[in-house]
């Protein structure tokens, strides 16, 4: 496999045996189909180490739906070109046998792993933590960058690192939105122009709720878009994922649902959380 460019400086690593643990201080794990959100993570990583390592591995363990796994966009050559243009040092593109030479023992993501995304996607976070733990073992980075777009994932990875005393600092990176407000996601390419318009109801509702956390106002906005099938809309306490209450200091709105069968998730912090007892 080559990066497809004559003057490319991007090193493509396919085999675990070619990785030198600790060689790359900054690491950005991805599943490919790179968009500007991923590129923003890489730019942050490069502030820690210009020779950042990016991995591209579509982890089968985190998909509960074979159709979703099969439809996950794959565009390796385009990804390589993007990494090259950013001057990324190396990309790790293992196959499944490299990552899982034998049946892996799944890491239990615990109670929080069963909520929200974990409730709708059985075993999702166990799969995420298992692959992240494996990648951290192989790469042994000093810093690893994850986006706030997957807020629950970020929380659970931070928890994993703490519980297992993994010597990697998890750095969180802000969520990136398109100019129309839609949170960037590799899945967005599966939306028709009409579907994309409908999906904007998500960021519209979040913006409306982000000042004080007005759930009713958000529910009203969501209900106004029949193409959006809501899965959950909640305001949580960032510290423990419980429903935000009068003791909550940092509240965040979590939302997920489907447009045209495409699962979309988003979140936004509440600026001045106002708890109203019902
Ligand atoms: O966020 C993702 O792209 C994936 O869940 C991750 C962290 C690369 C693990 O497969």
């Amino acid at each position: 496999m080559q990066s497809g460019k004559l003057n490319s400086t991007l090193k493509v690593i396919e085999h675990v045996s070619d990785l030198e643990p600790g060689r790359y201080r900054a690491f950005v794990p991805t599943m490919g189909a790179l968009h500007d959100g991923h590129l923003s993570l890489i730019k942050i990583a490069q502030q820690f180490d210009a020779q950042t390592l990016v991995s591209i591995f579509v982890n089968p363990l985190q998909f509960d739906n074979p159709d979703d796994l099969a439809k996950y966009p794959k565009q390796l050559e385009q990804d390589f070109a993007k990494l090259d243009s950013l001057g990324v040092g190396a990309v790790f593109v293992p196959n499944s046998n490299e990552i899982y030479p034998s049946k892996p023992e799944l890491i239990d993501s615990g109670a929080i792993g069963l909520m929200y995304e974990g409730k709708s996607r059985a075993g999702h976070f166990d799969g995420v933590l298992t692959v992240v733990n494996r990648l951290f073992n192989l790469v042994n980075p000093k810093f690893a960058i994850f986006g706030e777009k997957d807020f629950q994932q970020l929380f659970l990875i931070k928890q994993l690192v703490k519980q297992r005393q993994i010597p990697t600092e998890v750095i969180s990176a802000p969520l990136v939105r398109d100019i129309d407000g839609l949170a960037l996601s590799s899945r967005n390419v599966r939306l028709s122009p009409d579907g994309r318009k409908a999906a904007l109801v998500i960021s519209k509702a979040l913006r409306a709720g982000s000042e004080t956390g007005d759930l009713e106002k958000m529910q009203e906005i969501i209900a106004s878009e029949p193409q959006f099938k809501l899965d959950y809309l909640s305001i949580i306490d960032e510290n423990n994922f419980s429903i935000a209450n009068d003791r909550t200091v940092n509240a965040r709105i979590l939302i997920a649902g489907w447009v045209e069968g495409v699962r979309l998730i988003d979140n936004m912090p509440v600026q001045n959380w106002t708890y109203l007892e019902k």
Side-chain angles (χ1 to χ4, degrees):
M1 207 178 309
Q2 287 176 1
S3 77
K5 263 184 152 188
L6 280 176
N7 58 354
S8 167
T9 54
L10 180 69
K11 185 173 171 195
V12 179
I13 304 171
E14 289 178 75
H15 304 291
V16 162
S17 53
D18 292 332
L19 275 175
E20 303 155 72
R23 158 85 173 76
Y24 297 96
R25 282 164 50 82
F27 177 44
V28 182
T30 80
M31 298 205 298
L34 304 178
H35 51 65
D36 285 353
H38 295 112
L39 304 191
S40 74
L41 304 184
I42 294 167
K43 285 177 194 159
I44 292 173
Q46 287 175 321
Q47 292 169 17
F48 292 96
D49 181 3
Q51 288 294 302
T52 286
L53 175 74
V54 174
S55 66
I56 298 179
F57 176 63
V58 183
N59 173 32
L61 291 186
Q62 66 189 77
F63 289 81
D64 64 329
N65 176 347
D67 195 44
D68 197 23
L69 173 60
K71 283 189 181 149
Y72 202 84
K74 287 163 201 78
Q75 42 177 64
L76 223 44
E77 286 305 316
Q78 279 151 274
D79 288 348
F80 287 174
K82 287 179 185 172
L83 296 177
D84 219 11
S85 71
L86 285 186
V88 166
V91 60
F92 178 43
V93 276
N95 65 27
S96 256
N97 294 334
E98 292 278 333
I99 294 291
Y100 305 122
S102 56
K103 195 168 180 289
E105 198 179 313
L106 284 174
I107 294 181
D108 184 352
S109 55
I112 295 178
L114 295 174
M115 302 163 92
Y116 300 109
E117 280 308 285
K119 191 168 176 191
S120 296
R121 305 173 68 192
H124 172 66
F125 287 118
D126 293 359
V128 169
L129 295 189
T130 304
V131 78
V132 168
N133 184 59
R134 173 87 176 122
L135 289 167
F136 281 0
N137 275 329
L138 295 172
V139 176
N140 190 19
K142 187 104 188 58
F143 307 98
I145 327 298
F146 294 88
E148 283 189 352
K149 158 92 185 337
D150 296 293
F151 195 76
Q152 195 176 358
Q153 166 175 287
L154 176 64
F155 180 94
L156 289 167
I157 292 172
K158 282 185 176 165
Q159 189 174 269
L160 171 87
V161 163
K162 207 166 168 188
Q163 282 170 352
R164 298 200 166 212
Q165 298 179 329
I166 298 172
T168 295
E169 191 180 331
V170 174
I171 310 288
S172 37
L175 183 153
V176 181
R177 295 182 186 282
D178 231 323
I179 194 130
D180 58 7
L182 188 65
L184 295 188
S185 160
S186 304
R187 289 191 171 90
N188 292 353
V189 293
R190 289 167 53 199
L191 293 170
S192 72
D194 236 29
R196 191 183 166 97
K197 240 185 250 165
L200 297 184
V201 75
I202 302 172
S203 51
K204 192 174 166 199
L206 287 175
R207 277 197 310 271
S210 68
E211 206 178 308
T212 59
D214 186 338
L215 201 54
E216 271 176 26
K217 190 152 121 196
M218 288 190 283
Q219 282 161 341
E220 247 172 60
I221 293 172
I222 291 297
S224 72
E225 178 47 73
Q227 277 207 73
F228 180 63
K229 308 280 172 250
L230 181 67
D231 182 2
Y232 58 77
L233 169 64
S234 293
I235 305 178
I236 57 129
D237 186 318
E238 287 188 6
N239 280 334
N240 53 24
F241 271 74
S242 64
I243 297 291
N245 57 35
D246 54 343
R247 292 181 304 279
T248 299
V249 177
N250 296 113
R252 186 170 287 256
I253 312 159
L254 301 182
I255 185 167
W258 297 267
V259 174
E260 298 175 328
V262 180
R263 187 169 179 83
L264 300 167
I265 66 171
D266 203 339
N267 67 81
M268 207 176 265
V270 181
Q271 305 304 329
N272 304 296
W273 167 238
T274 315
Y275 177 66
L276 298 172
E277 199 152 5
K278 290 268 156 74

